[in-house]
Amino acid sequence: MSQFFASGGQSTGVSVSASLIDDPDVKIKLKTQSLIYPALQSLDLDLPSYRENSNFLGLTKSFVVRLWSGYFTTDRSLEKAMFFNQHVPVESSNLFKFVNWSSLLPEKFKKGWQKYPGFLDVRAAPLLADDNKLRNLPLTYVITCQYDILRDDGIMYVTRLQNAGVRVTHNHTEDGFHGALIYCGFKIRYRIENQYMSWLSENL
């Protein structure tokens, strides 16, 4: 008898759906994956959303860089390289096609080290998975917010999933910001939460 589970994550607690599907020892089948303003890659930290929201109080670029670099190493030189987007080895430049914001982002969002191979691993950066892995993913729900440094990660992931034939519901909140769901008493929190819970009740 097959067992079906839902996979989900918020911010840096991103989904590991692709890893579960590829692991021969995992017998469960995923029914859905849901991602709430997810961090999906550390390859390009100079996307339009990074430029527009780098100092936004909800989540700053310096904090994101510190989280990513600390995830892979205690060597502070990686943090500095990542902040200036100088951390990708030349031989891995082919992966930029997976975070090519000029082709993966809608027009309105386009304003503007070999030593640490982990940041190129799709288990840490699902956006870098190739189409063959993505097309096996289940029904997906993605929340993105306009005022969020991670906005473009989520939007590009939605585009890539759609291009791979995955059914995706994308809830982009124009007046939203990173972490909106943790602020009790804010109307925006309840609006996003209600939309999300409605989707879950229809699809689980």
Side-chain angles (χ1 to χ4, degrees):
M1 182 177 184
S2 296
Q3 295 184 65
F4 293 88
F5 288 83
S7 172
Q10 181 175 175
S11 193
T12 53
V14 297
S15 168
V16 291
S17 302
S19 301
L20 291 175
I21 288 172
D22 286 344
D23 191 333
D25 295 328
V26 176
K27 304 303 180 191
I28 63 172
K29 293 183 180 180
L30 292 179
K31 185 175 182 181
T32 67
Q33 68 166 341
S34 53
L35 307 174
I36 302 170
Y37 27 75
L40 296 167
Q41 58 87 32
S42 57
L43 188 73
D44 188 352
L45 303 181
D46 196 35
L47 300 171
S49 59
Y50 272 84
R51 296 177 201 167
E52 293 169 30
N53 301 296
S54 63
N55 294 311
F56 191 79
L57 293 178
L59 189 67
T60 64
K61 179 174 180 176
S62 59
F63 187 65
V64 169
V65 167
R66 193 175 311 124
L67 286 175
W68 273 121
S69 60
Y71 184 69
F72 302 119
T73 181
T74 56
D75 184 345
R76 295 298 295 270
S77 64
L78 177 61
E79 182 179 337
K80 183 177 179 181
M82 290 182 85
F83 190 84
F84 292 104
N85 223 38
Q86 298 172 341
H87 59 292
V88 180
V90 174
E91 55 270 29
S92 298
S93 60
N94 64 302
L95 293 174
F96 276 105
K97 66 186 176 189
F98 295 135
V99 293
N100 182 355
W101 59 266
S102 64
S103 65
L104 294 171
L105 286 179
E107 286 299 323
K108 69 176 184 176
F109 296 106
K110 295 181 185 178
K111 301 169 186 175
W113 289 20
Q114 188 77 7
K115 203 169 164 186
Y116 312 107
F119 74 86
L120 301 177
D121 191 316
V122 296
R123 290 172 297 180
L127 190 54
L128 302 185
D130 63 34
D131 291 344
N132 290 329
K133 290 183 185 292
L134 293 183
R135 68 173 50 102
N136 293 321
L137 289 172
L139 177 69
T140 298
Y141 184 83
V142 179
I143 295 172
T144 56
C145 291
Q146 182 67 21
Y147 303 105
D148 182 7
I149 203 167
L150 301 175
R151 179 194 72 205
D152 296 346
D153 277 23
I155 293 171
M156 290 193 295
Y157 193 58
V158 166
T159 302
R160 291 207 56 220
L161 288 175
Q162 290 172 335
N163 290 344
V166 177
R167 286 195 300 141
V168 184
T169 297
H170 179 205
N171 175 17
H172 179 71
T173 307
E174 288 289 348
D175 56 347
F177 53 91
H178 190 88
L181 279 172
I182 66 171
Y183 290 95
C184 295
F186 280 56
K187 290 182 180 177
I188 193 168
R189 176 219 168 133
Y190 300 113
R191 179 161 27 108
I192 295 172
E193 189 176 70
N194 288 338
Q195 290 171 331
Y196 181 39
M197 298 308 290
S198 175
W199 183 87
L200 286 176
S201 66
E202 290 174 10
N203 293 284
L204 286 184

